[in-house]
């Protein structure tokens, strides 16, 4: 299959190589010429513009967007719409909010351009050697693309989750669970690290990956992290986030579902990005007011 | 009534003046001579030792301990026991754990020394001008002391909560609620402070104290805090804690009661005492492992 | 002042009597004729329609909406707009989302109709005898209305919080804090209730209202609740919510502020509305899968 | 190796078969004769009493306890102590609290009886076909037993975590993480289940197990659960717990580590065991008091 791939960052680049390995012809585009060159060096066909990409592809074109959520997706779709023919396919493989996906789907539907949302998990390594994809699409469009997904995903690693939007929705919840799991792991290892037992954290993670109830890829990555840097001394505990955990909590709120764990994970991430908190200042001031408890000063 | 008061710190000193104002004779002792002198300057009778205190008091002695929880209480009781006569009364007015209180009660009961646990709320200002006390005691012992409590508490501000231990138990839960209320206030004001509206936080606290559902002494103290330092710029948001919130959570765990709010308050206090977290390092390392997300470095 | 009051429910009715007591003439309207009649019996002037209300009022009209948030506010504004003259004033005294308020303000501004958002706290009793109001308005509009607010609020119980939207915003956060405080109180009293000490919960609430750190109107209401029904045996612990706690959490998420306590309160409310949870089923199923732990069945 | 195994329940029985398969001779004892018979039918040597077990074993005996935490462990140790010779080995393979383990270790040390704590993970299936074990022991004792652990665990599935107590400590934290992970999964699937997309939950779990970031044994078990009962209609969402999650939270509290996720998981378990909550009644009563909001009645 010929695929036009827009966005050759960490995920897009690896995906391109993955597609190439399976005999697909990838026309790759990135706003940065150097990024395109890096892909060309790996056997990807580079193009200088979206216009060139579309011009070089026969119908029924398959254009895969692997760009950051939000404006970049809208901008690329806006550029593509006038260039494409009916039933060409745009795939959004990024972490878009599923409600944006639904809006885009309806807009593209009116123009008879097919749209597919693909939630992609497995990290950069998965993108390279076998991803896990959750695919929201009309049945016929999915059927057309299924051979591609079969190739670039690990065995049984793709699912037609349902109609448009469902792919990004399922991926969003996947990430929400991921937040909770990661925070649980973080809390557990902090307890291990602060205990009086001098534990070998890499060894603990390793044994947990062999037969325990919590064996998982995340614990494997924990093992790798400790193997590289046993005390994690070189890094700061600032936990950034890119939106999907937040969206999961917002969705839960809309559905009136209590999600203390996923929300708790998110709050600890936000807290980690604050040097100091205003809420803490208020509480410290109150303790000082009623009890004469000393406040810490700068 | 004559009261031997051991401990003339922030709470003890104010309580001594409060008792004095109501015509009670206070024999005050502190390990620090200067502290005793400060009390003497205010009309309190100073003593140089616990032995002197006991020697100067006729039976049925009333000895009020206002010292930190834990070892100081045990040490003072150990010193008092051989000096006291049967049915002398030891009052523990500090923040002891109610289980320790029960242990001490049983030990003193065997020696026929009466013991009373008093949970004291209202801060230093309450200690000075009218406290709120929760009193665990045998009925006859409470009856004997009731005039003292009537004097030093605000009107209706004392309660015989029940048998020994119940005073400290009720005070512990009071503080647990206090933690939750304070964190709620802190969170709310952080939202106000970060909003696009340029709000006058002292004015908001003030209006909330006049007729709103959340009007309370804590919101009054919030108002005062903002009046003193509108942006709380001079203080750090480090929230120390002295045990009762922790004990409340531990008690809830023993009773299998979900207490997400009180526990959540406590966790934010602990978090505020950490510069960086190991749990955060683990999560940051994991994000780096699977997604190539940059970690913050020192 | 003459006020057209739309909505004579629990809050509106009491507010009407409050206004009347202070010499204001209230023209009251409700969709339900019986509701209007009840107000008429109390000396309120009843009108049969919004049209009649507007027709009977001279300029500069003051129309106070006391209707549920959302569509009822929009519907009433839509009905009023063609009837009003420039610089007539619409007050939204309900619990509208401040973003809706901003939208309405901009729309009405284009028509030169003045708009004011009033967050009203203090419950039905406050509405009747002295409310607490947070007022978002242009300065001149606020100045025009200030005598009204001075009359219907407790002393110092009104605040011009700032520009339009700020009144509802501050009220929203007020309610968020209220959620946290209430859950903290609930958790504390559950611990008291389940303890081995046979505590008189009404008495505990009462003593806490006299001099303790957590003395507050909410603890006063707790005392009243236990005085009416000591074990709260007649009521179920289902905690409904009407939006403002949710909005506070959503706002905090937008601002990346950790709010474990306010969110935790909200989650417990949502949980209380569920008989059983799907999340619980999943966990029970997992425990059964790996450990052979028996599941509870229906 | 010859092993005396006390306790032939779900875990013990499977462990016995596992040991047998690797050529070890197991003398099995249970308080219930029928349970012993079931093991005998599978080739285990049954004994009628602990005394018989000890009498039939030559020195250096290895006695493995697989009984519930607490009293059963103490009772069996008390029975064994007078029967054993120096440097016989008692293994506690159950979920004992590591502090109890330390107490028992010190007591047995004085009698020169060797003690080993083994945290065993992997569920019944792991016990049967390859467990994951965390082993707290003196080095020489561990060395003596290592061939046994190598046999009954999956490859790389055993770890000498350190001195006595560390095995149960690491297992405790493992379970704490497990609680957090399970609750995260539960919350995520509740969102999926309540969404407007009609998702095939078993299929979602399946695809997540093939290449996603959250692939794990727990998600595999989730897949199995949904395959067996797609809507989990037959089971109730009551989440029991057996102590280790609680202990993890208690340990974190002692170490002043914020663990909102593990604690949040535990609270949701406790909540699921309550039909109704007293905290909820208090909040409902308060809402009724100030706002006239209807309470739900029985």
């Amino acid at each position: 299959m010929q695929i036009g791939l827009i966005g050759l960052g960490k995920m897009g680049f690896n995906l391109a190589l993955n597609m190439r390995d399976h005999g697909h012809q990838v026309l790759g585009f990135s706003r940065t010429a150097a990024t395109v060159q890096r892909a060309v060096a790996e056997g990807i066909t580079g193009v200088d513009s979206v216009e060139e990409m579309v011009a070089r592809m026969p119908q029924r074109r398959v254009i895969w967007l692997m760009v950051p959520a939000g404006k970049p997706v809208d901008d690329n779709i806006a550029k593509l719409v006038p260039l494409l023919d009916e039933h060409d396919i745009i795939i959004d493989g990024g972490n878009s909010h599923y409600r944006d996906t639904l809006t885009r789907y309806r807009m593209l539907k009116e123009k008879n351009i097919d749209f597919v949302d693909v939630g992609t998990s497995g990290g950069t390594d998965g993108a390279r050697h076998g991803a896990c994809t959750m695919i929201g699409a009309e049945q016929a469009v999915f059927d057309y693309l299924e051979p591609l997904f079969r190739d670039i995903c690990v065995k049984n690693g793709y699912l037609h989750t349902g109609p448009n939007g469902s792919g990004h929705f399922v991926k969003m919840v996947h990430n929400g669970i991921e937040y909770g799991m990661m925070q649980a792991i973080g809390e557990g290892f902090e307890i291990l690290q602060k205990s009086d037992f001098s534990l070998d954290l890499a060894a603990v993670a390793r044994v947990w990956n062999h037969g325990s109830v919590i064996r998982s890829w995340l614990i494997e990555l924990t093992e790798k992290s400790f193997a590289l840097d046993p005390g994690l001394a070189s890094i700061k505990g600032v936990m950034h986030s890119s939106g999907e955990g937040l969206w999961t909590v917002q969705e839960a709120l809309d559905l009136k579902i209590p999600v203390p764990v996923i929300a708790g994970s998110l709050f600890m991430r936000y807290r980690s990005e604050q040097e100091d908190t205003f809420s803490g200042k208020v509480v410290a001031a109150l303790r000082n007011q009623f009890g004469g408890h000393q406040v810490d000063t700068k």
Side-chain angles (χ1 to χ4, degrees), chain A residues 20-34:
Chain A
R20 178 208 60 190
D21 288 353
H22 288 88
H24 300 284
Q25 195 210 342
V26 181
L27 278 72
F29 173 71
S30 162
R31 286 175 316 168
T32 319

Side-chain angles (χ1 to χ4, degrees), chain A residues 10 43 53 59 83 100 119 124 140 158 204-205 214 258 269 287 295:
Chain A
K10 281 190 300 265
M53 177 185 284
Q59 293 178 35
L83 305 173
D100 293 335
T124 49
Y158 67 96
V204 169
I214 63 173
R269 291 200 177 192
R287 294 187 78 240
V295 296

